Amino acid sequence: MLTRSGLGAAITAIVLIVCGVWWRYEELVVVGAALVAALVVALWSARASQRADVVRVVTSPRVARGDPIRAIYRVTNPGRRRLAPVTVVDECDEQIVRVPIAEIDPLDRTEEVGMIPTRRRGLFPIGPWAIERYDPFRLAIGRRQSEAVGRIIVHPRIYPLAGPYGAMHTVENEAVVRTSVSDPLSGFVSLREYVDGDDPRLIHWPTSARMGTLMLREHVELRRPEFTVVLDAVDTAAGADDFEEMADVAASVAVHALESGVMVRLHTTAREFPGSPRAIERETQVLDLLTPVRQCDESTSLALAEIFHGGLDHTTIVFVTGPTGPSTTLRNADKLTVVRIGAGAVADPGIALAADDAATFVLRWRPWM
C-alpha cells in the first residue's frame, strides 16, 4: 500500500497528467508518468522483500502486570538473494512492538528480541505478527500478515511486603498461643489454680479434691488462625486502572500472609469470581484466582455478609477497595481492615490505610500498625 508520501505523489501525478492533457503540455504528462512509474516500482520493491520465514518464541507464557513480554523473533532468508531490511510487527492487548531486522544473507538466519508492554491482567492472544517493508524512497509499504497466534497470561504484580505489620502483625501474634474455653480444636496443656472469673466448667474436680484447692484445666488453641483477603470488584468503587492496582495489593497481601505461615483465603465481591472456598496453599493459586477477575455492577456483586455467612470466628479480614469504596461492609467491623487503593484515595474514618497505587501502599505498609 502507499504511504502518505506515496499517496501525495499519486495525487500529484494525476494532477500533472490531467493538466498536461488539458493544456497539451507534454512535459507535465511526462513528469506525471514518471511519478506513476516510480510508484509502481515502489510497490513492487516493498512486496518483493517479504520472503522471510519468521518464528516467534515467547520465553515465558506468564508475566506480571507491567512487565514486558519478551519475544524472540527468528528470521530466516530461504532464498538465494540477499533479504532487504524488514520490520516485524507484533501485538498483545492493543500494545504494539516493532522489531527491525537487518539485511540477511541467502540461506542465513538472525534473531532479534522484542519487548511487548503489558498493562492489564488476563489471558490475551499475542499476535498475529506481520512483516513490513518500505521501499527505499518510503513511497510504499508492503505487509505480510501471518496466522501465528499465541497465548500469554498476565497476572497481578506481587510486591514484597516487609512485615509483619498492620493486620498481619495481629494475625501472627494470634498464631503463637491463644487461650480458648470452648473451641473443640483446643488442647489440654496444664492445671492451675482457679481465679475469680474463670469458667467453672473447666474445674478439674478430681485434682481439686486431692490438692484441697480448686484447680483449673488450661487449654491452648490448636486451630491455625485464618487470614482472609477480599477484593472489592464493584465498578462504583474504582475505575479500571485503579482496579488493576487493587488486584496487585490483594495479591501482595495474600502472598505475604502465605509466606508468614498463616492460613489464607481469597475472595472477591464479584459473584462470577467468588474466590476459593478452601484455604490457599501456593502463590500460584493466588495469581490464578486474581488473573481473570473483572469488575462487576452492584446487581451481580456479593455483600461481605454473604461471603462470611458462616461467621467470622478465627478470621481476620483485609478488604481492598477503591478510592470511592467500600461498596459493602459488615456490622461487626472489629475483624475488618479496609484499605483504599486508587488515585485520590483518602483514609476516612473506618479506613486503615489509603494509597494512590500499589507501590505507594508498599511504602506505607511498614508504619501501618
Side-chain angles (χ1 to χ4, degrees), residues 187-194 198 201-211 213-219:
F188 170 75
V189 173
S190 63
L191 293 172
R192 63 172 175 84
E193 290 189 9
Y194 177 83
D198 286 338
R201 294 175 300 174
L202 298 178
I203 296 175
H204 193 257
W205 293 107
T207 304
S208 299
R210 187 172 64 253
M211 299 291 294
T213 183
L214 293 177
M215 300 297 294
L216 199 75
R217 293 174 303 205
E218 194 170 34
H219 296 71

Side-chain angles (χ1 to χ4, degrees), residues 11 133 218-219 249 350:
I11 294 174
R133 157 70 176 157
E218 194 170 34
H219 296 71
V249 169

Side-chain angles (χ1 to χ4, degrees), residues 295-359:
Q295 289 181 283
C296 64
D297 55 32
E298 293 185 356
S299 63
T300 58
S301 66
L302 290 169
L304 286 176
E306 294 181 78
I307 297 175
F308 299 100
H309 61 86
L312 301 177
D313 191 26
H314 306 291
T315 299
T316 299
I317 307 166
V318 169
F319 188 32
V320 182
T321 186
T324 56
S327 63
T328 177
T329 186
L330 288 171
R331 291 184 178 179
N332 181 11
D334 294 340
K335 295 186 177 182
L336 179 64
T337 300
V338 181
V339 177
R340 275 182 178 166
I341 303 296
V346 179
D348 293 327
I351 307 299
L353 188 150
D356 290 339
D357 50 34

Side-chain angles (χ1 to χ4, degrees), residues 82-277:
R82 189 177 183 84
L83 182 66
V86 296
T87 301
V88 176
V89 182
D90 211 352
E91 65 176 322
C92 180
D93 189 27
E94 300 178 356
Q95 303 298 299
I96 299 175
V97 63
R98 295 178 177 273
V99 182
I101 307 296
E103 294 182 349
I104 306 176
D105 293 329
L107 305 177
D108 199 2
R109 188 183 76 172
T110 187
E111 289 187 0
E112 295 292 342
V113 176
M115 297 291 187
I116 308 176
T118 59
R119 57 192 179 93
R120 298 185 302 168
R121 296 163 296 106
L123 175 63
F124 300 104
I126 176 172
W129 54 261
I131 293 180
E132 291 183 351
R133 157 70 176 157
Y134 285 95
D135 75 284
F137 300 101
R138 301 186 74 84
L139 296 177
I141 179 173
R143 183 181 177 91
R144 175 164 63 89
Q145 190 83 28
S146 75
E147 297 181 356
V149 178
R151 290 289 183 269
I152 195 75
I153 298 174
V154 182
H155 59 69
R157 171 174 290 279
I158 302 297
Y159 289 85
L161 299 179
Y165 303 101
M168 189 65 64
H169 181 70
T170 302
V171 171
E172 291 188 349
N173 280 349
E174 291 179 351
V176 179
V177 172
R178 292 182 297 168
T179 59
S180 172
V181 298
S182 59
D183 194 339
L185 292 181
S186 60
F188 170 75
V189 173
S190 63
L191 293 172
R192 63 172 175 84
E193 290 189 9
Y194 177 83
V195 178
D196 289 343
D198 286 338
D199 190 344
R201 294 175 300 174
L202 298 178
I203 296 175
H204 193 257
W205 293 107
T207 304
S208 299
R210 187 172 64 253
M211 299 291 294
T213 183
L214 293 177
M215 300 297 294
L216 199 75
R217 293 174 303 205
E218 194 170 34
H219 296 71
V220 294
E221 185 181 4
L222 301 179
R223 184 198 304 270
R224 290 178 61 192
E226 290 184 2
F227 183 73
T228 305
V229 181
V230 182
L231 176 63
D232 194 351
V234 179
D235 54 11
T236 56
D241 292 338
D242 289 336
F243 186 67
E244 296 297 328
E245 299 291 335
M246 291 163 53
D248 289 351
V249 169
S252 300
V253 173
V255 170
H256 180 66
L258 278 175
E259 294 173 347
S260 301
V262 180
M263 184 180 294
V264 181
R265 296 182 186 272
L266 182 61
H267 297 281
T268 81
T269 58
R271 195 174 297 275
E272 184 181 359
F273 307 98
S276 174

